[in-house]
Amino acid sequence: MKIALAQLNFHIGNFISNTEKIKANILRAKKEGADVVVFAELSVCGYPPKDFLEFPDFVARCLKAVDEIASVCDGIAAIVGAPAINEKVEGKNLFNAAYVLENGKIKSVHHKGLLPNYDVFDEYRYFEPAKSFHVAEIGGKKIALTVCEDLWDIEEDLMYTQWPMEELIKQKPELMINIAASPFSYKHAASRRSVLKRNVEKYNLPLFYIQQVGAQTEIIFDGGSMVLNGEGKIVSEMKQFEEDFQIFNTEEIQNSSAATDKIQNPEIQNSTSEIALIHDALVLGIRDYFSKMGFTKAILGLSGGIDSALVLVLAVRALGKENVLSVLMPSEFSSGHSVDDSLALCKNLDCKYEIIPIKEGFDTMQKTLSPVFKDAPFNVAEENIQARLRGIILMGIANKFGYILLNTTNKSEAAVGYGTLYGDMCGGIAVLGDVYKMQVFELCKFINREKEIIPQNILTKPPSAELRPGQKDSDSLPEYPVLDKVLFEYIENRKGPKELVEMGFEKALVDRILKMVNSNEWKRAQMAPVLRVSPKAFGSGRRMPIVGSYLS
């Protein structure tokens, strides 16, 4: 049997685009001699559709699209993902399903059994878990067909009380196919390979794994679909962060010597660095956010600091230099090299910029507020006025000319509330909101690995908001190398204060950092969507009460 894997970038709710893309790949697979072509989880509607699933019209369009796709399955079978109606009164109204299409109609439907309800997942909100499982039959072969999470409960800490493959293996399938929409994090690709290998080792069957690619608002899917033979060897891993299409012969897959001879130089990306993965994910995240929302032009404030410099490079790579505008907004407290460094970066990228000083606007605001402020000393109020003036300028240009503002706040700053609401925290998408400050430095080094794009002075000068004379971030925050380590252990690894102290961090430092994190949930709740690249990002995957008093 020849199996085609079509790794595609779908658009949530765009039934015309998704359906045409699926049909085109079915016809391509047929032309190239495949017996069946496989698409990702909820490919018909895009993943995750969230509360769209509560609209009967949305579900009806999904089902209509499945019928339309089935109509082109003449001489070839296809497996697509879409919601299915639960005909029983008991339980949720829908299943998350894999449809087998053949001879112009729906041949069989296979429901997802394990519904993730953690981090960014919320599938129990919409779907009923399958209680029974049956193999798919295509071309005379019995296939254990599962949906994403159905293969994931194979770790030591089991989350579920039923296991689809344990039921399917009793029906003596000849191979496994898993359709997935598995969100990217820089740790996920390695764990995904491990989980898939463990399934092969346990059930002694070849595995065909198809994964979605593309970004859906903050959630990024990295592709990397793969095929493993019955010995657990990865014989092919498809492209990451790009659409891809490949056809595999099951006889060659099952025969390891044939796989070595006939599978042409599979690109196994185990050695890809985490920083390179984050870079590619962020570029894809920006590009898809703009293209899927119908936006074309981005604007950002270029401060002369490392965060905005990094965002500018990523935006230019995602959207093209002609579609990105940088605005330099020096204040009376800005150092001369901040403007010079920014201009050097713009020159290196050959991109557009404007220089709009804010001193006059700041002086006017001080005069306007002087009857209320009276003789109160300069403090954070005046600092925030400057940040908000910059936000007004950027949003004014954005509104006038149709730009979308890119937020440049990094994860370290967002975690401790080191930013100004309606100032430097405004924007349409937070590009670095899941990237710690030390990772920002590593990303810049990665960008400069072949030649200097980001000027060296931007990388070496002490980070500063430049909102008062001689200001440095370290005046208000612990040094970033220490801060980031504590934040990572608390946010990603959920370590408590006692555990952090036992790891060697000073108690006063731990208490201070955790208090800053938990006291600033209200700020993060008002941030733009954050592109998710870590195992635990701010946003839908980390749900905290704003008024909670835990450790605050």
Side-chain angles (χ1 to χ4, degrees):
M1 173 183 280
K2 290 185 177 180
I3 300 175
L5 298 184
Q7 176 179 289
L8 303 177
N9 188 340
F10 299 106
H11 188 184
I12 294 171
N14 193 337
F15 295 105
I16 294 175
S17 173
N18 295 344
T19 300
E20 290 304 315
K21 186 175 284 192
I22 291 170
K23 287 164 59 179
N25 279 269
I26 291 172
L27 295 176
R28 175 182 176 182
K30 179 181 178 181
K31 183 178 180 181
E32 296 183 21
D35 299 296
V36 59
V37 54
V38 190
F39 301 90
E41 179 181 11
L42 292 182
S43 48
V44 166
C45 61
Y47 188 98
K50 298 189 177 181
D51 281 6
F52 279 155
L53 291 168
E54 295 180 350
F55 290 80
D57 177 70
F58 184 87
V59 176
R61 292 190 187 201
C62 290
L63 300 179
K64 181 181 177 182
V66 171
D67 287 337
E68 183 179 341
I69 293 165
S71 70
V72 301
C73 293
D74 178 21
I76 187 171
I79 298 172
V80 300
I85 302 293
N86 181 8
E87 301 293 347
K88 295 182 179 180
V89 174
E90 303 87 359
K92 301 292 176 62
N93 294 331
L94 299 173
F95 291 104
N96 185 343
Y99 287 75
V100 177
L101 312 177
E102 193 173 26
N103 297 324
K105 61 184 180 180
I106 298 171
K107 182 177 183 181
S108 60
V109 183
H110 306 259
H111 301 151
K112 186 174 183 177
L114 307 187
L115 302 179
N117 208 60
Y118 54 86
D119 200 74
V120 298
F121 300 106
D122 208 3
E123 292 198 25
Y124 270 114
R125 182 180 177 95
Y126 314 104
F127 298 118
E128 180 70 9
K131 300 297 193 300
S132 61
F133 305 92
H134 57 282
V135 296
E137 294 192 19
I138 304 174
K141 284 190 178 291
K142 297 169 72 174
I143 298 170
L145 176 56
T146 56
V147 182
C148 203
E149 188 87 350
D150 287 345
L151 289 188
W152 276 80
D153 203 33
I154 200 166
E155 305 295 337
E156 293 181 3
D157 183 14
L158 299 177
M159 297 179 62
Y160 304 94
T161 57
Q162 64 172 356
W163 299 276
M165 273 305 303
E166 289 298 301
E167 298 302 315
L168 290 168
I169 199 66
K170 297 173 185 177
Q171 301 171 41
K172 301 187 183 307
E174 299 169 66
L175 58 92
M176 295 181 283
I177 293 179
N178 182 265
I179 67 171
S182 186
F184 168 81
S185 81
Y186 59 80
K187 295 286 188 183
H188 194 62
S191 63
R192 184 166 58 212
R193 293 186 191 100
S194 175
V195 165
L196 297 179
K197 281 190 173 187
R198 289 177 68 178
N199 274 277
V200 170
E201 291 165 359
K202 183 174 183 179
Y203 299 111
N204 298 310
L205 295 174
L207 172 57
F208 294 77
Y209 171 82
I210 182 67
Q211 152 77 334
Q212 190 178 150
V213 69
Q216 310 287 5
T217 313
E218 74 274 28
I219 302 176
I220 299 166
F221 300 94
D222 59 330
S225 304
M226 64 185 75
V227 177
L228 296 85
N229 65 17
E231 299 174 354
K233 176 182 178 182
I234 299 176
V235 295
S236 182
E237 184 167 7
M238 295 166 72
K239 294 177 181 177
Q240 289 186 296
F241 307 106
E242 295 181 41
E243 292 190 332
D244 199 2
F245 179 96
Q246 292 186 34
I247 296 178
F248 305 92
N249 189 315
T250 56
E251 292 183 4
E252 294 178 2
I253 295 300
Q254 290 171 324
N255 186 323
S256 58
S257 62
T260 302
D261 294 336
K262 296 184 180 180
I263 303 299
Q264 295 182 357
N265 301 320
E267 294 183 8
I268 309 301
Q269 302 183 37
N270 289 320
S271 61
T272 304
S273 74
E274 290 179 357
I275 291 298
L277 291 172
I278 293 172
H279 170 276
D280 292 350
L282 293 174
V283 171
L284 177 60
I286 296 169
R287 181 182 297 129
D288 270 16
Y289 184 76
F290 275 72
S291 65
K292 291 178 180 179
M293 292 287 286
F295 305 142
T296 56
K297 298 186 293 184
I299 187 173
L300 74 155
L302 195 60
S303 67
I306 192 169
D307 299 317
S308 60
L310 174 58
V311 171
L312 176 58
V313 175
L314 295 171
V316 166
R317 293 181 174 184
L319 306 173
K321 63 182 182 181
E322 68 280 3
N323 293 315
V324 183
L325 175 66
S326 300
V327 184
L328 289 63
M329 296 168 286
S331 73
E332 59 186 294
F333 307 117
S334 298
S335 57
H337 58 72
S338 291
V339 174
D340 293 340
D341 294 340
S342 296
L343 292 176
L345 175 60
C346 290
K347 181 179 180 181
N348 290 346
L349 295 172
D350 190 27
C351 63
K352 301 177 291 185
Y353 65 87
E354 297 283 350
I355 302 177
I356 305 176
I358 66 167
K359 184 180 185 308
E360 184 177 346
F362 181 49
D363 290 344
T364 300
M365 285 302 302
Q366 286 185 301
K367 183 177 179 181
T368 300
L369 290 167
S370 62
V372 179
F373 283 6
K374 295 183 170 52
D375 296 325
F378 186 108
N379 68 2
V380 69
E382 284 81 4
E383 293 180 22
N384 286 344
I385 287 170
Q386 296 171 73
R388 291 188 177 114
L389 278 171
R390 290 177 171 133
I392 289 171
I393 291 168
L394 290 167
M395 288 307 303
I397 297 171
N399 290 163
K400 181 65 71 175
F401 300 108
Y403 288 91
I404 296 299
L405 177 58
L406 299 176
N407 177 274
T408 63
T409 303
N410 64 58
K411 189 172 187 177
S412 307
E413 295 169 339
V416 297
Y418 191 63
T420 304
L421 272 180
Y422 327 120
D424 56 307
M425 291 185 74
C426 66
I429 188 78
V431 177
L432 302 180
D434 197 27
V435 181
Y436 288 114
K437 188 73 170 189
M438 299 311 296
Q439 291 176 312
V440 170
F441 281 102
E442 291 302 313
L443 280 164
C444 290
K445 291 177 183 176
F446 174 77
I447 287 167
N448 281 3
R449 66 193 183 281
E450 295 178 355
K451 66 175 183 178
E452 183 175 287
I453 296 173
I454 300 174
Q456 187 64 25
N457 195 48
I458 290 178
L459 306 183
T460 56
K461 64 185 175 185
S464 170
E466 295 191 328
L467 297 174
R468 64 173 184 267
Q471 183 183 31
K472 298 192 297 294
D473 288 5
S474 57
D475 298 337
S476 305
L477 304 175
E479 294 288 351
Y480 283 115
V482 176
L483 174 64
D484 284 0
K485 289 178 182 177
V486 175
L487 291 174
F488 178 82
E489 294 298 336
Y490 179 57
I491 296 169
E492 271 86 341
N493 292 337
R494 271 83 88 192
K495 293 286 196 299
K498 182 179 179 182
E499 295 167 292
L500 289 166
V501 171
E502 290 174 350
M503 292 176 68
F505 298 106
E506 294 181 5
K507 184 179 185 304
L509 176 71
V510 169
D511 291 345
R512 178 189 173 197
I513 293 173
L514 269 53
K515 179 179 175 63
M516 286 192 289
V517 173
N518 291 346
S519 298
N520 282 286
E521 194 63 39
W522 65 282
K523 279 191 177 182
R524 290 189 294 274
Q526 299 181 68
M527 276 188 73
V530 173
L531 291 179
R532 179 187 185 272
V533 296
S534 81
K536 183 60 67 174
F538 295 129
S540 62
R542 187 178 187 272
R543 306 174 193 186
M544 297 293 176
I546 291 175
V547 298
S549 63
Y550 174 61
L551 303 178
S552 61

